């Protein structure tokens, strides 16, 4: 953010696993466990995860080539889709057959790859919808403003604080449709935080966001961790993954092929073959003729 | 040609029970489509349930009018649940297909001779009002004329009850859509999945909206039945489209839009319906007979719907800002 020029070096969590690092390794304190989760669309096996655990209060990245089943896996975990077989649990509670809205109420909130801002609602109304316990959302209670007016004011204050953090407070009375793509991403993330979730699942939070905004989004994600939340995100930007992720899970063709701390997982030949490509260290920018910017001295 | 007479009769339609009935149904549709995004193409069926519930309650079950009036809304609740359970989990257009078919099924059920003794089949039902509703009229007998608004004590009694129901309905809908409940409904209209990811039980909210809108539709039918006989030919698909026209004219996502839309729609239709035959009898309509000329109003209504959708999609009361962002 502009008010905070020196971006903090993220404090990485380490030693979260039990035993040697391999795909499906057990974690000391998992928040989410998936076991034998399999989803088929006709003859296509989109997701076939043998075992995976998501460590609590850490930032976990889910990477993999296009069509690896990352988003489908997200949908399965959040109740937007049901697998053909398998068990998966959140905080020890099984999520099998639990519908999406109940999963959200348990404290597992997701965002979408294609941002879902509620276009013809104001930014503030978008935020207010994120609040989980407004009594006035009950049909009978809606007739008696006495029952929900106080809560409404509380929600508004909470929403305003979040909007300030995401630099959206000046837009609060505008339609969400008037926001830019990047601002909608911010709004969706802010809205997800209204319910103070335990686990936030972000589907490509950086796609289509300019570098400066990426920087502030990264800080927001790091702040979630320091506020005690767990983050699981899908992302293709490897610099970002390396920068903020404590743990990386790699999927390919529906399976978890590798996992581990970012530094190590990216050296794994299987990951390089399946996803990163063997030329990842070459900066394509020099080939396409990117203009070199004079170093300001502050750069690493 | 008696132009003043035409104008006078037209203004009289503002306080016609039919206008109130349309306003109620349009209000229900506003809740369905404008706020919850439900494409209900079967409002005629909800209205028919209100009208038949009332008439059958009095004629067959011998209930007093105020109890019979509750039968229609009750039937509308059951009808909404039957419609909603299989369709509300699917994408919006499926609801449109199912409701339009269900409305036809409902009309044919009222039309079939099988239930003739109860529904009156093609003849419909009459005499339900004289049995108990008129007896409850507190207005002293006589003719009461206030400018263009004329009628006997019975006409004014129907207007009074119809207007009363409409006022209560407007207050209820206004409270609903300006509450957090209404906010969730608007959110569902924009994106169901987003609301699911925020922990809202989308199906329950859509069902509640379908039921409440359906009740409003049945109240529209009830008011219609209080002013006239009940006939299955009234509740055809075209009445659904009249209501859609009135709603879009006024503004779908508003509370007062459906009212204004219904009044404007109904008075303009009455105006054209009275003016055209009058012009024809003067020989000003290229040799069309008065009966042919009366049909022109339906052509003009269709034209009006097209023009509204093209040039003012947000309606008269709609927020123009919304239009900037229509996808």
């Amino acid at each position: 953010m502009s008010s905070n020029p020196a971006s903090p070096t993220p404090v990485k969590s380490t030693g979260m696993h039990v035993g040697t690092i391999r795909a499906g390794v057990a974690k000391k304190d998992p928040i989410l466990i998936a076991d034998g989760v399999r989803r088929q669309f006709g003859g296509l096996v989109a997701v076939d995860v043998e075992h995976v655990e998501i460590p609590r209060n850490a930032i976990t990245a889910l990477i993999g080539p296009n069509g690896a089943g990352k988003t489908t896996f997200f949908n399965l975990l959040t109740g937007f889709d049901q697998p053909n077989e398998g068990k998966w649990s959140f905080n020890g509670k099984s999520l099998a057959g639990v519908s999406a809205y109940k999963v959200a109420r348990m404290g597992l909130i997701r965002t979408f790859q294609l941002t879902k801002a509620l276009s013809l609602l104001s930014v503030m109304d978008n935020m207010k919808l994120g609040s989980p316990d407004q009594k006035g959302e009950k049909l009978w209670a809606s007739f008696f403003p006495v029952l929900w007016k106080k809560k409404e004011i509380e929600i508004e204050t909470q929403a305003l604080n979040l909007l300030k953090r995401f630099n959206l407070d000046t837009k609060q009375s505008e339609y969400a449709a008037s926001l830019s793509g990047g601002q909608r991403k911010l709004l969706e993330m802010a809205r997800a935080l209204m319910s103070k979730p335990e686990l936030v699942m972000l589907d490509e939070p950086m796609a289509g966001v300019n570098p400066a905004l990426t920087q502030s989004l990264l800080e927001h994600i790091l702040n979630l961790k320091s506020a005690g939340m767990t983050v699981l995100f899908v992302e293709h930007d490897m610099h970002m993954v390396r920068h903020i992720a404590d743990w990386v899970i790699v999927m390919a063709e529906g399976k978890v092929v590798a996992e581990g701390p970012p530094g190590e997982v990216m050296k794994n030949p299987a990951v390089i073959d399946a996803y990163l490509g063997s030329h990842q260290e070459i900066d394509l920018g020099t080939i396409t003729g990117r203009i070199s910017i004079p170093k300001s001295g502050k750069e690493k | 040609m008696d132009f003043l007479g035409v104008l006078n009769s037209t203004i009289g339609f503002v306080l016609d029970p039919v206008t109130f009935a349309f306003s109620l149904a349009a209000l229900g549709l506003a809740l369905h489509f404008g706020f919850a995004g439900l494409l209900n193409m079967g409002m005629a069926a909800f209205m028919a349930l209100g009208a038949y519930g009332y008439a059958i309650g009095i004629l067959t079950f011998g209930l007093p009018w105020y109890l019979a009036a509750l039968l229609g809304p009750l039937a509308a609740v059951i009808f909404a649940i039957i419609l909603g359970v299989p369709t509300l989990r699917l994408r919006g257009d499926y609801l449109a297909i199912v409701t339009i078919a269900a409305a036809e099924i409902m009309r044919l059920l009222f039309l079939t001779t099988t239930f003739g003794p109860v529904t009156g089949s093609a003849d419909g039902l009459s005499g339900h009002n004289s049995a108990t509703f008129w007896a409850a009229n507190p207005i002293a007998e006589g003719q009461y004329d206030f400018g263009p608004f004329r009628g006997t004590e019975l006409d004014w009694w129907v207007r009074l009850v119809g207007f009363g129901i409409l006022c209560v309905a407007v207050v209820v809908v206004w409270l609903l859509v300006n509450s957090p409940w209404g906010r969730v409904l608007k959110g569902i209209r924009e994106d169901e999945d987003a609301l699911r990811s925020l922990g809202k039980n989308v199906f329950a909210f859509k069902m509640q909206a379908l039921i409440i809108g359906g009740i409003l539709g049945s109240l529209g039918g009830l008011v219609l039945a209080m002013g006239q006989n009940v006939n299955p030919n009234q509740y055809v698909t075209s009445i659904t489209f009249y209501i859609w026209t009135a709603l879009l004219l006024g503004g779908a996502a508003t509370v007062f839009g459906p009212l204004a839309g219904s009044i404007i729609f109904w008075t303009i239709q009455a105006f054209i319906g009275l003016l055209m035959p009058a012009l024809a009898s003067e020989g000003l309509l290229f040799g069309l007979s008065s009966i042919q000329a009366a049909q022109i109003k339906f052509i003009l209504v269709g034209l009006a719907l097209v023009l509204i959708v093209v040039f003012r999609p947000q309606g008269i009361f709609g927020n123009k800002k919304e239009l900037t962002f229509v996808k």
Side-chain angles (χ1 to χ4, degrees):
Chain A
M1 242 180 274
S2 50
S3 58
N4 187 10
S7 69
T9 326
V11 185
K12 299 273 183 146
S13 308
T14 48
M16 293 172 296
H17 57 283
V18 183
T20 48
I21 295 177
R22 61 191 158 79
V25 66
K27 306 293 181 319
K28 277 176 189 154
D29 184 12
I31 188 166
L32 192 73
I33 305 172
D35 208 13
V37 170
R38 188 180 161 87
R39 179 70 171 112
Q40 258 177 300
F41 297 108
L44 174 82
V45 181
V47 168
D48 185 9
V49 171
E50 230 170 83
H51 188 85
V52 74
E53 298 184 4
I54 311 293
R56 190 187 302 275
N57 195 13
I59 299 174
T60 306
L62 184 61
I63 63 171
N66 295 325
K70 303 181 296 289
T71 297
T72 310
F73 191 49
F74 252 50
N75 288 344
L76 294 175
L77 292 178
T78 49
F80 277 82
D81 194 4
Q82 294 291 330
N84 301 88
E85 52 191 84
K87 290 183 291 190
W88 67 113
S89 61
F90 172 66
N91 269 336
K93 272 179 248 156
S94 170
L95 291 181
V98 179
S99 48
Y101 80 93
K102 282 186 183 149
V103 172
R105 283 193 195 166
M106 289 163 87
L108 198 173
I109 302 275
R110 70 169 295 183
T111 66
F112 296 85
Q113 187 175 358
L114 300 169
T115 323
K116 291 190 185 295
L118 306 164
S119 311
L120 293 186
L121 260 63
S122 72
V123 169
M124 186 45 107
D125 277 351
N126 264 272
M127 293 296 287
K128 283 178 177 173
L129 279 171
S131 173
D133 39 25
Q134 168 57 281
K135 261 207 197 71
E137 287 177 3
K138 290 206 166 62
L139 180 58
W140 60 268
S142 61
F143 293 108
F144 309 104
V146 189
L147 293 175
W148 47 262
K149 265 277 144 66
K150 214 178 115 199
K151 179 79 191 169
E152 191 79 354
I153 294 164
E154 274 173 41
I155 292 174
E156 201 160 326
T157 330
Q158 189 198 349
L160 211 56
N161 283 336
L162 272 171
L163 285 176
K164 272 192 193 124
R165 259 172 57 194
F166 284 82
N167 273 344
L168 286 171
D169 49 325
T170 51
K171 299 267 184 189
Q172 53 167 312
S173 49
E174 311 244 347
Y175 278 126
S178 72
L179 300 182
S180 72
Q183 285 171 325
R184 283 183 216 187
K185 290 240 176 225
L186 288 173
L187 173 62
E188 199 183 23
M189 203 190 289
R191 191 176 65 194
L193 298 183
M194 281 294 287
S195 64
K196 303 186 179 115
E198 274 185 73
L199 172 58
V200 186
M201 293 175 52
L202 308 168
D203 200 345
E204 299 206 13
M206 305 299 158
V209 175
N210 69 304
L213 200 55
T214 304
Q215 188 64 39
S216 82
L217 266 169
L218 285 181
E219 274 161 37
H220 289 311
I221 294 174
L222 288 169
N223 283 340
L224 299 184
K225 183 183 158 191
S226 45
M229 292 175 214
T230 308
V231 180
L232 174 65
F233 70 98
V234 171
E235 191 49 64
H236 283 300
D237 182 339
M238 285 308 116
H239 290 294
M240 172 196 167
V241 169
R242 226 187 292 252
H243 185 60
I244 67 164
D246 302 313
W247 193 262
V248 177
I249 298 172
V250 188
M251 279 182 82
E253 291 170 1
K255 294 185 174 68
V256 173
V257 292
E259 57 179 296
E264 283 161 50
V265 106
M266 285 177 193
K267 288 185 197 123
N268 185 330
V271 177
I272 293 173
D273 277 353
Y275 180 50
L276 298 172
S278 47
H279 298 299
Q280 60 154 325
E281 296 305 332
I282 297 171
D283 187 356
L284 293 174
T286 55
I287 301 169
T288 51
R290 196 184 285 170
I291 306 161
S292 62
I293 299 162
K295 307 225 164 176
S296 62
K298 232 200 260 174
E299 233 144 310
K300 57 190 170 169
Chain B
M1 188 181 69
D2 180 16
F3 189 74
L4 268 182
V6 168
L7 213 59
N8 221 11
S9 313
T10 303
I11 294 169
F13 269 96
V14 172
L15 283 189
D16 198 88
V18 180
T19 310
F20 297 149
F22 265 59
S23 301
L24 278 163
L27 198 59
L29 200 58
L31 199 66
H32 282 164
F33 176 70
F35 291 101
L38 301 171
L39 273 169
N40 176 12
M41 288 285 170
M43 214 38 164
F46 285 104
M47 293 181 79
L49 283 171
Y52 273 96
Y54 171 68
I56 291 172
I58 291 171
L59 295 174
T60 306
F61 302 125
L63 296 171
W65 70 276
Y66 46 87
L67 286 183
L70 296 177
L71 280 186
L74 201 69
V77 171
I78 296 165
F79 186 61
I81 293 173
I82 293 171
L83 274 182
V85 165
T87 53
L88 288 183
R89 288 179 203 279
L90 301 171
R91 230 176 49 219
D93 359 15
Y94 291 97
L95 185 72
I97 297 166
V98 171
T99 46
I100 204 167
E104 277 302 281
I105 292 170
M106 206 42 100
R107 184 177 67 85
L108 293 171
L109 281 178
F110 285 125
L111 188 63
T112 175
T113 49
T114 316
F115 309 118
V118 179
T119 61
S121 185
D123 296 333
L125 295 168
S126 55
H128 47 278
N129 286 318
S130 54
T132 117
F133 180 58
W134 287 351
N137 188 358
I139 304 168
E141 215 179 304
Q143 175 78 19
Y144 299 85
D145 292 346
F146 305 95
F149 309 115
R150 352 170 126 252
T152 64
E153 82 282 4
L154 294 176
D155 294 326
W156 284 103
W157 175 225
V158 177
R159 283 172 192 167
L160 210 63
V161 173
F163 189 68
I165 293 175
L166 182 59
C167 286
V168 173
V170 167
V171 171
V172 165
V173 172
W174 194 87
L175 282 172
L176 278 176
V177 300
N178 286 299
S179 74
W181 184 85
R183 187 167 63 216
V184 176
L185 223 54
K186 287 178 230 169
I188 290 171
R189 177 190 69 195
E190 297 301 317
D191 198 314
E192 282 181 23
D193 279 344
L195 271 275
R196 272 191 200 104
S197 78
L198 296 173
K200 313 292 180 215
N201 187 351
V202 169
F203 179 77
F205 279 99
K206 279 162 80 174
M207 186 58 103
Q208 288 167 352
L210 188 66
I211 288 173
I212 295 171
I215 290 174
L216 291 171
S218 74
L219 290 175
L222 169 71
V223 172
L224 212 54
M226 281 175 168
Q228 47 186 268
N229 295 341
V230 178
N231 193 291
N233 293 329
Q234 283 173 312
Y235 303 102
V236 287
T237 314
S238 53
I239 203 174
T240 301
F241 290 109
Y242 289 165
I243 297 164
W244 272 96
T245 312
L247 175 71
L248 295 178
L249 180 65
T254 58
V255 177
F256 293 101
L259 306 191
S262 299
I263 292 171
I264 294 169
F265 172 79
W266 204 240
T267 46
I268 287 182
Q269 201 196 244
F271 178 69
I272 297 170
L274 292 167
L275 183 71
M276 288 299 157
L279 285 178
S281 61
E282 299 280 312
L284 292 171
L285 277 182
F286 319 109
L288 287 179
S289 74
S290 321
I291 297 165
Q292 287 168 326
Q295 300 304 312
I296 291 181
K297 74 175 178 187
F298 296 110
I299 300 172
L300 294 176
V301 165
L303 191 66
L305 182 55
V306 172
L307 292 176
I308 295 164
V309 172
V310 172
F311 291 106
R312 203 173 164 90
Q314 82 274 31
I316 295 167
F317 279 70
N319 186 347
K320 197 163 178 226
K321 239 168 90 189
E322 279 178 17
L323 252 198
T324 323
F325 306 112
V326 169
K327 294 139 243 169

